[in-house]
Amino acid sequence: MLSRLLHFSLKTRTVLVPVLSPIKCCTPRLCVRPISTSLAMSGPRTMKEERYRKKDKVPEDYRIIYRAPMEHYLSACSLVTSFSFAAISVFAAYGYMHDYHTLSVPFEIDFQQLTANETDLLIFLGFFFAVNVLIRIMVNRYVLRIYRNEDDYLAVFEGNLPFSRKQLKYKKGTVEPVPEGGIVPWQDARYKINDKSVLIIDGYFRTPSELYNMLKQNKQ
C-alpha cells in the first residue's frame, strides 16, 4: 500500500499525517465484481461440451444446458431393435412365402417343442414385436441433449438408424408437462415439445432454472 506524508506545523510541533493513496485502497471484500447468474451461457466451452456439439452437428452459437444419462444404453437399444425389426421382417416375408416348418436355418430347431402349433409361434413373434415397438418408442422420445441460444432451443435424439442423431428445434415457452399415464417408464419425465411427446429427466439440467425457463407458462 502506497502512502504519502503531509507535513504541517502546529505551533512548534511538526505533525506527520499519513494519507492513503486512492489508487490502491481496494481490499478483496470491497472490490467484488458482479457475477453473471447465467451459468449455462458463461465461460468458454469445455472439451467435452465441444465434443458433444460436433458430434450432434450443432451450430457454434448454441450452448449445452441438458445432458441425459444412459446414452450408451439407448444406442444399444436402438441397434438391437433395428436388427430385430429387420430379422422379423425377413422371417415374416419368408414364412409368408413358405411353410414355416420347412424353414432352412444354420442350426436345428425342434418346432414341436418350441411351439405347439403355428398359432403359438405367431403369438410369440407378436409379443416379441410389441416389446421392440415399446423400446423403440422410448428411444425415440428420450432426449439425449438440449442446447440453447437465447430463446432458441435444439433437442437431440437417437436417430432412426443406429449411430445416427436427429434434432428438434423449438422456441422458449413451447414445453409443457404431460400428466402421468401409459406404459412408458419415467412417468414424471414426460413432456411435450411442439406436440411431440418427449422424455426429459429433471435432474440433469445445468441449472434448475433452465427447465423452468422452457415451460409454456413462461412464454413472453
Side-chain angles (χ1 to χ4, degrees):
M1 181 183 294
L2 299 179
S3 63
R4 53 192 174 85
L5 300 179
L6 295 182
H7 297 262
F8 64 92
S9 177
L10 181 61
K11 293 184 178 179
T12 59
R13 183 176 301 173
T14 299
V15 180
L16 302 178
V17 180
V19 179
L20 298 179
S21 174
I23 299 177
K24 296 184 179 181
C25 62
C26 179
T27 62
R29 291 187 178 181
L30 296 178
C31 295
V32 177
R33 295 180 179 180
I35 300 176
S36 173
T37 57
S38 180
L39 299 178
M41 307 301 292
S42 63
R45 288 187 179 90
T46 62
M47 294 180 61
K48 180 179 291 187
E49 181 181 355
E50 183 64 16
R51 186 173 69 251
Y52 281 125
R53 187 190 67 79
K54 292 181 179 179
K55 179 180 180 181
D56 299 332
K57 298 180 181 179
V58 174
E60 292 187 3
D61 49 352
Y62 281 81
R63 299 297 300 270
I64 191 169
I65 62 170
Y66 171 84
R67 183 166 67 89
M70 302 185 297
E71 179 180 358
H72 298 296
Y73 293 102
L74 267 293
S75 298
C77 289
S78 177
L79 183 63
V80 170
T81 53
S82 297
F83 278 108
S84 297
F85 285 130
I88 291 175
S89 300
V90 172
F91 186 86
Y94 190 85
Y96 179 78
M97 294 166 38
H98 302 80
D99 183 15
Y100 88 105
H101 287 285
T102 63
L103 291 178
S104 178
V105 292
F107 48 89
E108 182 179 355
I109 299 178
D110 187 354
F111 285 97
Q112 298 301 326
Q113 294 182 2
L114 180 62
T115 59
N117 50 48
E118 186 174 352
T119 303
D120 291 345
L121 180 59
L122 293 176
I123 293 175
F124 171 78
L125 291 177
F127 177 78
F128 182 76
F129 183 81
V131 171
N132 278 271
V133 169
L134 177 61
I135 295 175
R136 194 69 203 185
I137 291 175
M138 184 190 69
V139 171
N140 289 339
R141 293 182 180 182
Y142 192 86
V143 180
L144 295 176
R145 284 172 287 279
I146 298 177
Y147 297 82
R148 178 170 71 87
N149 178 24
E150 300 297 336
D151 292 341
D152 297 324
Y153 293 83
L154 198 155
V156 178
F157 302 81
E158 280 284 341
N160 295 324
L161 298 176
F163 309 111
S164 65
R165 296 288 184 271
K166 60 182 179 181
Q167 300 177 354
L168 173 64
K169 293 183 179 180
Y170 60 98
K171 293 284 188 178
K172 176 182 178 181
T174 56
V175 181
E176 55 181 332
V178 176
E180 296 185 6
I183 57 176
V184 178
W186 296 301
Q187 291 291 311
D188 57 344
R190 300 171 69 228
Y191 293 86
K192 274 192 175 182
I193 301 177
N194 296 337
D195 294 328
K196 174 181 172 60
S197 297
V198 299
L199 294 173
I200 302 176
I201 305 177
D202 300 355
Y204 290 90
F205 282 88
R206 178 168 290 187
T207 60
S209 61
E210 291 289 359
L211 175 60
Y212 177 79
N213 292 333
M214 292 194 310
L215 296 180
K216 192 170 185 179
Q217 61 265 25
N218 297 307
K219 186 175 181 179
Q220 297 178 353

